[in-house]
Amino acid sequence: MAMAYAALSTINEQADRRANAAATGCANCAARDLSVCGAMPSGDMSRVASIVSHRRADAGETLLSEGDKAMHFLNIVDVTVKVYKLLPDGRRQITGFLYPGDLLGLAFNDTYTSTVEALTPVKYCLFPRRQFERVVDEFRPMEKQLLARASNELVAAQEQMVMLGRKTAQEKIASFLMALLQRARRVNKASDSVVLTMTRSDIADYLGLTTETVSRGFTRLKTEGWIELCAGGKVRIRDTEALAELAAGADC
Amino acid sequence: MAMAYAALSTINEQADRRANAAATGCANCAARDLSVCGAMPSGDMSRVASIVSHRRADAGETLLSEGDKAMHFLNIVDVTVKVYKLLPDGRRQITGFLYPGDLLGLAFNDTYTSTVEALTPVKYCLFPRRQFERVVDEFRPMEKQLLARASNELVAAQEQMVMLGRKTAQEKIASFLMALLQRARRVNKASDSVVLTMTRSDIADYLGLTTETVSRGFTRLKTEGWIELCAGGKVRIRDTEALAELAAGADC
DNA sequence: TATATGCCCTGATTTTCGTCAACGCGGGAT
DNA sequence: ATCCCGCGTTGACGAAAATCAGGGCATATA
């Protein structure tokens, strides 16, 4: 579960059509239980709904940029976005991919410290920062929820550091696939495949590698019979055991 | 400011001598303003003092281990500790060095997710987990403080990811020195030197390098005249500009 | 239909950093 | 004092991954 700038939650279609509609939208939000809004009692959801506005963005569109004034708290929605930071010469590090229910934490700083870009057409909720903070003040469980998420995010970030600092290219790729698989299994328990909505270049920038190395890594996993590359970016994991062991960094 | 398992705050000598003393210790704590305790009104510090116990550890001693049940919230004290995670085959990634006032966040999970080890003899406060949570419940500003710190830690963690994933060995070393310098300058504004309390091996495991590469990196910075290596692990930064530029990852 | 563009893969070569090995130094123990 | 042992440094070598280059395929565009 990535935490960076916003929480991702699916807005249902009706709510989206009448954007800024106060009453019904948020209470019926498909991703409500996934997001911080899950901490709100149903009866009080109108309080949230009253400050939210709903937006959509096309693939490749930038939702917010590093360095911008943090005016809003984003609660992202449908499908996936990537969060990244750039070095002056253009080197890029993707710090996370966000899915529905994930939280965008940099809302607590004055300026955004990363850039967020849509991987696919995406729907998201926008909370004016001050108002969102007021709602959090009013509903203590929401604050607790935020703290719990932040804590989880920190643990995930440390895991990510181990990966970036100490794993080999092959282990990084295996780790990436296993993380995606575990996410898929939270939705569909018996799933044995993942869909890569991001490009090889995105994966490379997430793992601290080059696109070529990522490509070769996938090929090698394929020739070893551990994965299968299907159409539409779908990857079927054929040997979960082996992949998990590689991902964990076993001594071979 | 690293966040992992505890907050670091300096206990004054008296307080340390009568460990577990309820009344005076915490209110006079030298690091109180640096730690989460700073959010407590002075009058209520006895509430904190009533649940704390004070400990000390020698250099190299392990304060807590990855996988242990998280029974306590640590609030570390004097000088420095390192926080790390291990891969099955022994590869190590240090996720942070903690200084007085830093917060150890993994208190919100059921088991510790990293190991914490003293770099030098260290004093620390120990809060029983449940009781600490109760105090946080009672004092809302403390919860806010925790959330703010967690948020800052996440930003720092993302910065660390950029470093691990996208910077060269030389840039990593420069970044490390600059981070230490900035910390030194928060205490002594005009400082132009830092003291390395950790070994080359620790630095390597923090930067995702080997000791040899770290050593060569220091040597190169020295021969370029940007730093000076003095006795006692002291490093004098002679060209802050150059070092900062290298650390930032400028295109050369 | 032809052309262009972006993405993915693969090969050849280079470079950075890791590995292996050796040595000096200083502090602690005997 | 002498012996260790851990730490830091340096050199020679090797390997993993980056860089450079090209080619195929699909989708978009003219």
Side-chain angles (χ1 to χ4, degrees), chain B residues 52 76 84 87 99 103 114 145 158 167 180 192 197 213:
Chain B
V52 77
I76 304 186
Y84 61 84
L87 289 175
Y99 301 87
L103 192 70
S114 306
Q145 179 83 241
Q158 285 164 9
K167 288 189 183 172
L180 287 183
D192 70 336
T197 53
T213 302

Side-chain angles (χ1 to χ4, degrees), chain A residues 142-243:
Chain A
M142 206 142 168
E143 187 159 66
K144 282 202 173 312
Q145 179 81 242
L146 286 173
L147 188 53
R149 275 171 184 263
S151 181
N152 286 335
E153 284 313 312
L154 276 170
V155 173
Q158 285 164 8
E159 207 89 42
Q160 187 75 355
M161 287 181 208
V162 176
M163 201 208 59
L164 288 170
R166 283 294 176 230
K167 288 190 184 173
T168 66
Q170 212 61 10
E171 288 168 346
K172 287 178 179 181
I173 293 167
S175 301
F176 178 66
L177 288 174
M178 285 308 296
L180 287 183
L181 184 63
Q182 274 167 357
R183 166 168 287 280
R185 285 187 172 168
R186 276 207 288 279
V187 181
N188 173 5
K189 214 128 168 52
S191 173
D192 71 336
S193 63
V194 299
V195 176
L196 304 177
T197 53
M198 64 295 284
T199 67
R200 293 287 183 272
S201 171
D202 286 335
I203 298 172
D205 283 345
Y206 180 66
L207 299 178
L209 301 170
T210 59
T211 61
E212 293 92 332
T213 303
V214 171
S215 185
R216 281 188 254 268
F218 276 117
T219 304
R220 207 169 124 201
L221 291 179
K222 193 176 66 183
T223 58
E224 270 162 339
W226 296 359
I227 66 170
E228 199 175 325
L229 298 172
C230 314
K234 191 173 147 183
V235 179
R236 212 167 71 75
I237 283 88
R238 303 186 51 173
D239 192 338
T240 318
E241 300 295 307
L243 204 63

